Every structure is written in structure tokens, then in C-alpha cells.
Amino acid sequence: MQLSIPDLDLRHIYESGQCFRWEPLGQDTYRIPAFGRTLTVRQTDGVFDFSCGAGEFDALWRSYFDLDTDYAAIKARVAPRDAYLQAAVAYGWGMRILRQDLWEVIVSFIVSQNNNIPRIRGLVERLCALCGRPLESGQYAFPTPEQLAACTEEQLATLRAGWRAAYLADAAQKVLGPLPGPETLATLPLADARAALMTIHGVGPKVADCTLLYGLGRWDAFPLDVWMKRAMARLFPEETGKMPESAPAIFGPYAGIAQQYIFHYCRCHPEEIREKTA
């Protein structure tokens, strides 16, 4: 099916650091394995060709791309606050916060720690090949918690994940056991939801906030990695004392989305932070 969609750019999302399984096929085309299925999307001048019918699109992919959210209104609300924010929004104008599978986000961001994006993608793909279900596209579905929990230490060692392998095993056990379900995590106060996720070995505040933002669409979560800490300290120093316990109030209810624009821009333009504070 084909749709014209404003405020969406596939490359911006692919490069934004929120997902690790998109496969670029050239000509603004990506193959996306998610939710046990595979979608191919091609973008041409704001028109998107999706390799699925209208029923599957409305049931699954409309929510995945967060298409019922008015990002134009959000950008208008966030950008005027600061010239740096205006530049960040203009640079990443087509980003949206994907509504990904919560379990996949937990695992992906556990392995993202002290890692670069190519290595993260490789590790995630090895995990899927190890214990995920084969898909018709030749890719593999993301393994379920049950499938991961069934892996032996020897099998997990083949991932070359190092110390992260033990964290993956613990994550599977926690998700199958005491961890609150997605519906509960979506409605708990932010601090309580973060604390629940941090009972998983290897999940700290940053990974917990990534999980809440990318896996549950909680815009009150504000992940802080080294890039964001540096950007916030230099650009908005009055807000740094409140983090990570709460998201910066200057961004209102759209803190998590503002974070995505800032993160992508400051990572691609580190000189802008230096110029802002020179």
C-alpha cells in the first residue's frame, strides 16, 4: 500500500540510535523485521510504499511508526525555545519515536552499553539467528524471553557479547517472572517504572529510560548518555540538577521527543555544542 506521510523520514529514524534491526536496501528503502514479521518500506518525496495490505498496516505498522501523533505540532512547541533546538529539529525533522516491542528494546539496550552501533547491530542479529524463528525474508524474528531463557551459557558465548551475556539471561528470567508487564510499566510513576526495570542486572537509569521511551512511548523518559549529559550541561545548565530523576521541565510533556532531536544533532554536530558555549 502507498501513503503520503508528513514529518517522516526513514533515514532520520535509521540513524537516530533508537532501533538496531533496520536493513537498508538502497534507494531510500529499508527492510524492517518487527513483531515476528518483515516490512519493506520505500520512501520517494514524502510518499511511502509499504509491502503490506491496509489491514496489516492499520493493525501493526501505523502504531509502530506513531502515525497518529501530530509531530508538526510537537516540533512547533519544542523548537522555538532555543536556537539550538531549532537547528536540531530542522536537522532531524523526520524522526519519530517508534513504538517497538518492549522486550526487544530491553535486550537491545542492554547490549548497547559501551558499544558502537555497528557492533550492537551485529550482536543483535547473532542473537536472533541463535534462537529466533526464521522469517520468509531470510531474517530471523527477535527471540522471545522463553527462547532466550532456554539458551545455555555455551550458546550465549557464541554471541561474543562478553559480560552482557549474563545480563541477557537475567533479563529473560525477570521478564518471565517478577517484572511488571507492559500495561503496568506504562502507567506507573516514572521513578517506579524505572526502578522496576533496574531490577534487571545491567539495566541502569539510561537503559531503563531508553526502554520506557522506545518500548512504551513514555515521553516523560529522558535517556542520558555521554552525548546528552554533555549537551544538557552546556546548553541548559539550569536543568542538569533535576536529572535523571525527572525530565527537564523546559520541554513540557514532550521531553523524550526533544531528547531524540538533541541527541541526534549533537552526535552529528559536536562542534555546535562548543560554539554555543564559546
Side-chain angles (χ1 to χ4, degrees):
M1 63 170 295
Q2 188 177 89
L3 284 175
S4 177
I5 304 172
D7 304 299
L8 173 64
D9 186 89
L10 298 177
R11 181 177 60 84
H12 290 174
I13 294 176
Y14 174 71
E15 296 176 350
S16 69
Q18 60 175 304
C19 55
F20 303 107
R21 299 207 66 201
W22 285 31
E23 180 184 356
L25 301 178
Q27 296 183 326
D28 295 317
T29 304
Y30 294 85
R31 183 159 54 201
I32 304 169
F35 305 108
R37 303 190 187 190
T38 301
L39 178 75
T40 300
V41 189
R42 182 175 181 178
Q43 173 181 345
T44 307
D45 297 327
V47 177
F48 297 81
D49 287 292
F50 297 90
S51 64
C52 66
E56 178 181 326
F57 180 83
D58 288 336
L60 188 62
W61 303 109
R62 177 178 294 278
S63 173
Y64 177 78
F65 287 102
D66 199 20
L67 295 185
D68 291 326
T69 296
D70 186 349
Y71 275 75
I74 292 173
K75 288 184 287 187
R77 170 84 177 268
V78 170
R81 297 177 180 274
D82 181 89
Y84 185 88
L85 282 173
Q86 292 174 6
V89 167
Y91 183 76
W93 61 266
M95 282 193 296
R96 288 171 175 260
I97 301 297
L98 299 177
R99 300 297 182 95
Q100 302 178 70
D101 175 71
L102 177 64
W103 163 243
E104 180 173 340
V105 174
I106 291 173
V107 171
S108 298
F109 280 91
I110 285 176
V111 304
S112 76
Q113 299 175 87
N114 300 317
N115 233 337
N116 59 49
I117 289 181
R119 289 186 62 193
I120 297 166
R121 287 177 176 151
L123 204 161
V124 169
E125 289 309 316
R126 290 195 296 274
L127 174 63
C128 294
L130 173 66
C131 53
R133 174 176 55 85
L135 300 173
E136 292 182 1
S137 62
Q139 296 171 298
Y140 292 86
F142 199 87
T144 65
E146 292 84 357
Q147 289 170 323
L148 180 53
C151 289
T152 65
E153 289 186 17
E154 291 76 16
Q155 288 174 314
L156 291 177
T158 66
L159 298 175
R160 304 192 300 278
W163 45 266
R164 302 173 188 86
Y167 294 165
L168 298 180
D170 183 72
Q173 295 296 336
K174 293 284 175 53
V175 168
L176 291 171
L179 191 73
E183 297 81 6
T184 301
L185 289 171
T187 56
L188 281 173
L190 181 65
D192 294 341
R194 184 188 291 126
L197 288 167
M198 288 171 58
T199 62
I200 300 172
H201 294 166
V203 174
K206 182 253 183 176
V207 171
D209 280 348
C210 285
T211 299
L212 294 168
L213 179 60
Y214 305 133
L216 291 171
R218 290 200 57 162
W219 298 342
D220 52 344
F222 196 81
L224 288 168
D225 72 342
V226 63
W227 286 106
M228 283 303 299
K229 288 177 181 177
R230 186 179 303 152
M232 293 302 296
R234 295 182 180 179
L235 300 169
F236 307 102
E238 69 281 0
E239 295 289 333
T240 57
K242 307 170 187 177
M243 301 182 293
E245 286 74 16
S246 61
I250 58 172
F251 303 129
Y254 308 116
I257 297 177
Q259 177 272 344
Q260 197 67 27
Y261 293 125
I262 296 170
F263 169 75
H264 182 54
Y265 188 67
C266 72
R267 191 179 57 167
C268 296
H269 299 84
E271 74 283 356
E272 291 289 328
I273 297 177
R274 291 192 292 270
E275 291 175 3
K276 176 78 175 181
T277 56

